[in-house]
Amino acid sequence: HRSPLNDFQRLRATQLLAVPADPPPPPPERGSAEQCARRCAAGLACRAFHHDRQSQQCQLLPWTQHSPHVQLQKNIHYDLYQKKDYLRDCIVADGSGYRGTRATTEKGLSCQHWQATTPHDHRFLPSPRNGLEENYCRNPDRDKRGPWCYTVDPDVRHQSCGIKKCEDAVCMTCNGEDYRGTVDRTESGTECQRWDLQHPHKHPYHPNKYPDKGLDDNYCRNPDSSERPWCYTTDPGREREYCRIRRCTEKRPRPLNITTGCFRGKGEGYRGRVNVTVSGIPCQRWDAQTPHRHHFVPEKYPCKDLQENYCRNPDGSEAPWCFTARPTLRVAFCFHIRRCPDELGAQECYHGHGERYRGHVGKTRKGITCQPWAAQAPHVPQISPVTHPEAHLEENYCRNPDNDSHGPWCYTMDPRTPFDYCAIKPCSGSVVPSILENTDAVEFEQCGRRDERLQRKGR
Amino acid sequence: IVGGQPGNSPWTVSIRNRAGVHFCGGSLVKEQWVISTRQCFSSCDADLAGYEVQLGTLFKDPGPGDPDQQTIPIARIVCGPSESQLVMLKLASPAALNSRVALICLPPERYVVPAGTVCEIAGWGETRGTADGSVLNVAQLPVLAHGECNAALRGRLKESELCTAPLRAGVGACEGDYGGPLACLTADCWVLEGVITPSRVCARTDQPALFIRVSLYVDWIHKVMKM
């Protein structure tokens, strides 16, 4: 049940360019990513391959991104798969599979080229199979201290390179939700299943669906706020298992917006004391297992402040939440906690709707820089100095050429946000006509009609 | 919805997170645009990959074979003017309109719903045991005049808020209904006059319920869809 892709690290929409390409890579062949991985794993010279998802073609490559005269380049047609052993800067087990480019010993001595026999003669000569290349640290004799090399210092024949084990190389803080290291085995040594595969275990954590969870390849991750990083295993008999990863000792303050009177974003930093759901049900204490059993035991989540029965967000949900004291309602969001304002302070003010505003604020209320009115990118403007000569559309200053009732605005330099309002507020006392009383008879078309019969019958 | 009953509201959508869990409501105002409330979303430039809207079914968690169910990924979120607490969600593809999925009308700009108009809220939120929580529930609420509501709230009412009168029986929106519609029948069409926002208590019997007054932001809504 192990996929041949498990030996590879994937870079999406990326191509490896070798200049000049010598020897030229072999011609592309047909095949799925897994078939190409199998071919590449079998071939000694192959270290990576491009896979074109569209044409289901792949091109085996004798180099990686760490090879000389090679560079990575964006290319939406390809995914680049590279053998992990050539990319990892840490070792698995005794590191006999290590193929990285470290070339100094743990004491800082430069390594002697394996090809050379001076200053130290030896019998470990390079071959296509043993990976002894250049003067890189290697472990041809499975030394339990890991990769080593002969040194260029005549007085020091050989020395360990001190390359860390992968489980120690990248440590984890809190529950490891932000762990992005390259451990791909569970604590019992079982290899992890790739997140982008649904076999041997089907699962909901598609990398595309959870872009912020780092679900790369088959590395241990913590997408569901478990106690620590884990993975689905390649053992059909065991769905998932925790991984062993060193906990960071250095006190790295977690960059969390701690708030008490309101919550920001998803409220993971909310540390206030609201402890009732909006429907008036008290929250269940986090250190209690009744009426609802759960795994959010406070001592296992030291960073989440699961105190008392306060609303909290230990698992990255939409908002702070809690287990409820009512047996029939397991959890409830605490959306009634106010959201913290997330806008820039107003730098200037405007009268009326701001149609005569002539100030020089050129930022939106979220702090995004305004696009110049005369520019055509990133947004092609429907309103411009040409179409509205009288509106003083100068530079990228906020203006209100269409008498928008919510004030001056601008096109923004953020490709995803065509326009937004600015960090300018109505001047106090500026009279905005209050809501009009009923306007004259209104007409609607193609909307707001429903089959009332369904209303009575439901379904 | 507390104090409601199962009903049909073909413009009410269920907004679901990456785990497929319903967490807020919304209203379909164009085939590819849904209106909801800012309170439901972590930020104005949140990456909503994996988030979806569900339409065309009365069930909160329909079975796989539900005939008219449509599930459409959310492509973008656009936040409304500062004090509006509104967001617009652009869907990755247009919804197919049919007897189960319909657009709700937008009111004329700055239109005021006459006091006493009986409007309807809809949602898959908490019913507090007053109805079947697995289906869409609706409830009727009468609109309260702005001045009267302002007096009841001791002057704290904002221009951007619309009130409905408290009912003795305890009828109102609750957790999970936020972002859903307050729809009023005007000229034989259902019009989105309010958006449900979180309150500290559900279905109060002693205070008016507050909604976002949509008619104040109709110009912004049209501008977003145009741009």
Side-chain angles (χ1 to χ4, degrees):
Chain A
H1 291 279
R2 111 182 266 279
S3 161
L5 286 172
N6 282 10
D7 295 321
F8 292 83
Q9 179 165 305
R10 176 170 86 162
L11 282 179
R12 296 162 189 247
T14 305
Q15 181 182 12
L16 258 192
L17 276 186
V19 281
D22 60 338
E29 317 165 20
R30 279 201 63 74
S32 70
E34 287 196 306
Q35 288 163 335
C36 302
R38 199 166 280 118
R39 281 181 221 139
C40 184
L44 282 178
C46 180
R47 297 185 177 186
F49 65 90
H50 288 137
H51 182 250
D52 182 331
R53 280 189 304 261
Q54 212 108 29
S55 65
Q56 284 298 300
Q57 285 211 320
C58 61
Q59 180 177 46
L60 306 189
L61 303 168
W63 49 67
T64 69
Q65 69 189 68
H66 293 321
S67 307
H69 320 305
V70 171
Q71 62 193 34
L72 292 173
Q73 174 160 305
K74 205 143 185 58
N75 182 328
I76 58 167
H77 299 299
Y78 290 140
D79 283 340
L80 170 64
Y81 291 86
Q82 303 177 88
K83 279 183 181 172
K84 285 177 183 173
D85 287 342
Y86 287 92
L87 298 185
R88 268 201 276 239
D89 191 20
C90 56
I91 58 174
V92 178
D94 63 13
S96 46
Y98 173 77
R99 295 289 180 274
T101 55
R102 181 87 67 88
T104 52
T105 68
E106 59 191 359
K107 297 272 193 326
L109 297 176
S110 289
C111 293
Q112 171 185 311
H113 277 69
W114 294 98
Q115 194 78 33
T117 52
T118 57
H120 305 288
D121 193 2
H122 62 91
R123 57 189 171 81
F124 289 110
L125 296 178
S127 79
R129 187 172 293 277
N130 62 19
L132 300 180
E133 60 185 295
E134 304 290 333
N135 64 333
Y136 299 144
C137 303
R138 291 288 183 264
N139 193 359
D141 59 351
R142 307 190 77 91
D143 182 309
K144 59 180 181 307
R145 280 166 300 171
W148 55 275
C149 68
Y150 293 104
T151 82
V152 297
D153 181 339
D155 301 333
V156 181
R157 179 170 168 74
H158 55 71
Q159 198 169 69
S160 172
C161 294
I163 300 175
K164 285 187 178 176
K165 285 182 177 298
C166 291
E167 58 261 35
D168 298 328
V170 177
C171 62
M172 68 171 204
T173 59
C174 290
N175 298 94
E177 288 97 334
D178 54 2
Y179 171 74
R180 295 294 181 267
T182 59
V183 171
D184 57 7
R185 284 171 194 279
T186 66
E187 53 195 6
S188 66
T190 309
E191 190 176 26
C192 293
Q193 170 184 321
R194 285 182 65 91
W195 295 100
D196 57 5
L197 294 179
Q198 289 291 319
H199 58 78
H201 304 288
K202 289 184 84 54
H203 64 89
Y205 290 104
H206 301 267
N208 301 341
K209 247 187 148 180
Y210 293 85
D212 53 339
K213 302 292 183 183
L215 300 175
D216 308 315
D217 303 304
N218 64 333
Y219 297 132
C220 299
R221 292 291 184 262
N222 188 1
D224 63 348
S225 294
S226 293
E227 290 168 40
R228 49 201 170 94
W230 56 278
C231 68
Y232 292 103
T233 82
T234 49
D235 172 357
R238 175 150 204 164
E239 186 191 31
R240 56 183 270 181
E241 191 180 357
Y242 285 122
C243 304
R244 179 180 297 108
I245 290 159
R246 179 171 66 88
R247 193 173 287 283
C248 296
T249 48
E250 58 277 5
K251 283 276 162 265
R252 254 191 321 145
R254 231 164 109 69
L256 253 189
N257 283 331
I258 300 293
T259 59
T260 53
C262 58
F263 76 91
R264 213 181 291 283
K266 294 190 170 185
E268 289 164 294
Y270 174 71
R271 296 290 181 268
R273 300 182 164 211
V274 170
N275 60 359
V276 180
T277 74
V278 72
S279 46
I281 307 168
C283 292
Q284 171 182 320
R285 287 181 60 88
W286 292 99
D287 57 7
Q289 290 292 324
T290 55
H292 305 287
R293 297 190 59 74
H294 60 89
H295 68 81
F296 287 108
V297 178
E299 49 274 16
K300 287 185 176 171
Y301 290 85
C303 303
K304 309 293 183 178
D305 190 57
L306 301 179
Q307 282 189 59
E308 307 292 327
N309 64 338
Y310 300 139
C311 297
R312 288 290 182 266
N313 189 356
D315 62 350
S317 289
E318 313 325 307
W321 58 275
C322 68
F323 293 102
T324 83
R326 180 186 293 172
T328 55
L329 183 65
R330 182 169 169 79
V331 295
F333 283 118
C334 303
F335 269 127
H336 51 302
I337 300 170
R338 194 170 54 86
R339 270 194 180 283
C340 304
D342 61 351
E343 302 186 353
L344 291 185
Q347 299 166 25
E348 295 180 18
C349 73
Y350 61 85
H351 295 278
H353 290 163
E355 60 279 17
R356 283 186 306 284
Y357 171 76
R358 298 288 177 268
H360 291 179
V361 171
K363 271 190 188 308
T364 72
R365 56 190 168 151
K366 304 289 178 200
I368 300 173
T369 303
C370 291
Q371 172 183 315
W373 291 98
Q376 296 291 314
H379 306 286
V380 178
Q382 296 165 25
I383 293 177
S384 71
V386 173
T387 63
H388 290 67
E390 76 296 338
H392 294 262
L393 302 180
E394 303 136 315
E395 305 293 328
N396 69 336
Y397 301 142
C398 299
R399 291 289 182 265
N400 193 352
D402 56 350
N403 193 23
D404 187 312
S405 65
H406 307 290
W409 57 276
C410 67
Y411 291 101
T412 86
M413 292 307 284
D414 173 358
R416 296 173 308 160
T417 311
F419 83 100
D420 201 3
Y421 298 98
C422 292
I424 314 173
K425 291 287 178 232
C427 296
S428 55
S430 86
V431 180
V432 175
S434 76
I435 291 184
L436 304 181
E437 281 313 312
N438 298 348
T439 53
D440 47 14
V442 289
E443 288 294 319
F444 301 105
E445 74 282 339
Q446 267 100 44
C447 62
R449 296 188 187 283
R450 72 184 173 193
D451 180 345
E452 293 301 345
R453 279 177 304 117
L454 291 174
Q455 186 63 4
R456 281 188 298 283
K457 287 196 304 187
R459 171 171 287 187
Chain B
I1 303 286
V2 175
Q5 69 280 340
N8 175 38
S9 178
W11 37 77
T12 302
V13 308
S14 163
I15 301 175
R16 308 169 82 90
N17 64 17
R18 291 175 174 142
V21 172
H22 165 89
F23 67 93
C24 272
S27 305
L28 189 71
V29 293
K30 248 322 178 247
E31 285 79 351
Q32 215 159 339
W33 289 97
V34 164
I35 285 188
S36 186
T37 178
R38 168 77 178 80
Q39 188 72 358
C40 290
F41 296 91
S42 58
S43 83
C44 292
D45 48 18
D47 177 347
L48 295 176
Y51 284 72
E52 301 169 325
V53 298
Q54 178 180 276
L55 320 92
T57 175
L58 299 179
F59 294 92
K60 181 175 183 177
D61 296 307
D66 192 295
D68 304 298
Q69 177 200 2
Q70 297 179 49
T71 301
I72 307 174
I74 298 173
R76 290 253 320 279
I77 179 173
V78 182
C79 276
S82 304
E83 78 297 335
S84 70
Q85 289 301 306
L86 284 181
V87 294
M88 287 185 73
L89 304 172
K90 181 167 191 182
L91 306 182
S93 57
L97 305 185
N98 54 43
S99 65
R100 291 272 176 221
V101 176
L103 304 182
I104 190 167
C105 305
L106 287 168
E109 211 170 315
R110 312 179 77 75
Y111 176 73
V112 173
V113 186
T117 305
V118 176
C119 298
E120 180 183 272
I121 55 176
W124 284 274
E126 169 64 25
T127 64
R128 264 196 347 207
T130 60
D132 175 354
S134 69
V135 294
L136 181 69
N137 283 292
V138 300
Q140 283 68 39
L141 291 166
V143 167
L144 190 62
H146 200 81
E148 207 176 323
C149 183
N150 199 24
L153 297 176
R154 286 192 287 278
R156 288 197 323 269
L157 183 63
K158 293 181 204 152
E159 191 97 68
S160 57
E161 290 171 328
L162 168 66
C163 303
T164 59
L167 299 182
R168 230 187 318 285
V171 174
C174 203
E175 146 97 31
D177 296 320
Y178 305 142
L182 171 76
C184 308
L185 199 57
T186 307
D188 286 338
C189 288
W190 287 95
V191 182
L192 182 68
E193 297 290 0
V195 168
I196 300 170
T197 48
S199 58
R200 293 198 73 83
V201 178
C202 300
R204 294 188 76 135
T205 56
D206 59 343
Q207 269 199 357
L210 297 181
F211 298 84
I212 300 169
R213 182 187 294 277
V214 171
S215 69
L216 214 57
Y217 302 105
V218 166
D219 57 345
W220 166 72
I221 294 168
H222 287 310
K223 190 167 179 172
V224 169
M225 294 194 287
K226 187 168 71 126
M227 289 237 193

